[in-house]
Amino acid sequence: MSDAKCPICGGSGWQVVVEGDYSFVRQCVCTISLRENRAESGLPERYSMCTFENFQVNPGGGKKNPTLMAARTVARDFAGKFPAVNTGLLISGPAGTGKTHLAAAILNTLINRNEHGILFQDFRELLQDIRSSYSPDSKVNEFGILAPVLNAGLLIIDDLGAERPTEWADSQFSYILNYRYNRLLPVIITTNYLDGGGRMEEESLSERVGVRMRSRLFEMCREVCIEADDYRKINTGQ
Ligand SMILES: [Zn+2]
């Protein structure tokens, strides 16, 4: 439910409809638009309950992790200020540390505030959808898939760099990023790839998305680095 009271139902979510001598109760349009807005955001069901409150800053029940606390503060701040934001966020850190949770918490906060045009997009899936659109049987063309991604008021790209780096994938990414850069449209990116200072055996973000796109990203986004162990491994004792 939205924080602002709906003028029709006063926030109850139910609307009394009077037709002649009859009256009945139905779900208020505000709950329907919230539901539609949520569905249109593309956020997978798994992340629909992600909030800042249920974000784990002490994975595995141990000590609070300062980088997780800082990341939550920055993300919450971003959601609080949106749409009055100058930069997006680049949330990096190892797998399983809650990067997607934070991005989803931002999205859920904005949707509950009735912001429209917030889009969540797994990057591999986006590339797959674009590829499928090239097929002659496809009902949508490439632009039909890209248009919402290009123009969303806020675009969240989840798991950048997870796909195999190819020239084609790079060109798709730079097209999206440059388009949004020129129109001052913010992006939130989550990625497992750290820049430089990460673990030696791992590839850096520049190697995954190219040096030019990496610098563009750093121009467009505030960096949020999470340093923590995979809490899914902690929990299962692996
Ligand atoms: Zn209402």
Side-chain angles (χ1 to χ4, degrees):
M1 194 75 6
S2 167
D3 287 343
K5 282 250 164 65
C6 166
I8 300 170
C9 67
S12 71
W14 297 99
Q15 176 186 6
V16 180
V17 184
V18 181
E19 276 178 9
D21 294 339
Y22 300 95
S23 69
F24 58 95
V25 172
R26 71 174 173 210
Q27 262 195 310
C28 180
V29 283
C30 73
T31 69
I32 297 165
S33 79
L34 190 67
R35 207 162 53 220
E36 280 173 357
N37 199 9
R38 190 178 293 285
E40 280 168 10
S41 76
L43 184 72
E45 196 58 37
R46 167 185 295 276
Y47 302 113
S48 63
M49 302 309 279
C50 290
T51 63
F52 297 119
E53 286 68 36
N54 62 22
F55 178 69
Q56 282 193 39
V57 292
N58 58 337
K63 268 202 295 192
K64 284 183 182 171
N65 177 314
T67 67
L68 289 172
M69 291 204 293
R72 181 175 65 180
T73 303
V74 173
R76 190 184 257 152
D77 232 49
F78 179 94
K81 288 186 182 135
F82 186 87
V85 292
N86 295 322
T87 53
L89 302 176
L90 174 62
I91 308 174
S92 67
T97 49
K99 300 184 298 293
T100 305
H101 182 126
L102 276 184
I106 293 172
L107 184 145
N108 287 325
T109 303
L110 298 182
I111 296 237
N112 286 335
R113 217 165 68 199
N114 212 17
E115 298 278 359
H116 286 256
I118 318 294
L119 189 65
F120 182 98
Q121 182 70 63
D122 178 283
F123 197 56
R124 266 173 307 186
E125 277 176 27
L126 174 65
L127 293 176
Q128 191 49 54
D129 290 348
I130 297 172
R131 263 189 220 106
S132 315
S133 76
Y134 297 156
S135 142
D137 322 320
S138 173
K139 291 194 177 65
V140 277
N141 61 17
E142 183 182 1
F143 191 71
I145 290 168
L146 274 174
V149 175
L150 294 172
N151 296 302
L154 173 64
L155 173 66
I156 297 172
I157 293 184
D158 192 37
D159 222 356
L160 179 72
E163 75 294 341
R164 197 164 45 87
T166 64
E167 217 171 287
W168 177 78
D170 284 355
S171 76
Q172 297 295 326
F173 181 61
S174 55
Y175 176 55
I176 294 167
L177 212 58
N178 286 326
Y179 184 99
R180 297 184 61 86
Y181 174 80
N182 289 329
R183 288 160 184 79
L184 302 174
L185 293 167
V187 289
I188 292 178
I189 308 250
T190 75
T191 181
N192 293 347
Y193 291 90
L194 307 171
D195 201 64
R199 295 166 211 183
M200 288 304 284
E201 73 272 18
E202 285 173 358
E203 273 183 292
S204 71
L205 186 61
S206 326
E207 285 171 288
R208 296 300 285 198
V209 302
V211 177
R212 268 186 49 240
M213 280 307 107
R214 176 204 145 278
S215 358
R216 174 63 28 104
L217 266 181
F218 279 73
E219 264 181 278
M220 292 175 76
C221 298
R222 175 172 177 181
E223 251 192 293
V224 180
C225 298
I226 294 173
E227 289 163 34
D229 293 323
D230 182 340
Y231 67 78
R232 292 173 295 209
K233 281 186 190 157
I234 299 172
N235 287 342
T236 54
Q238 281 170 4

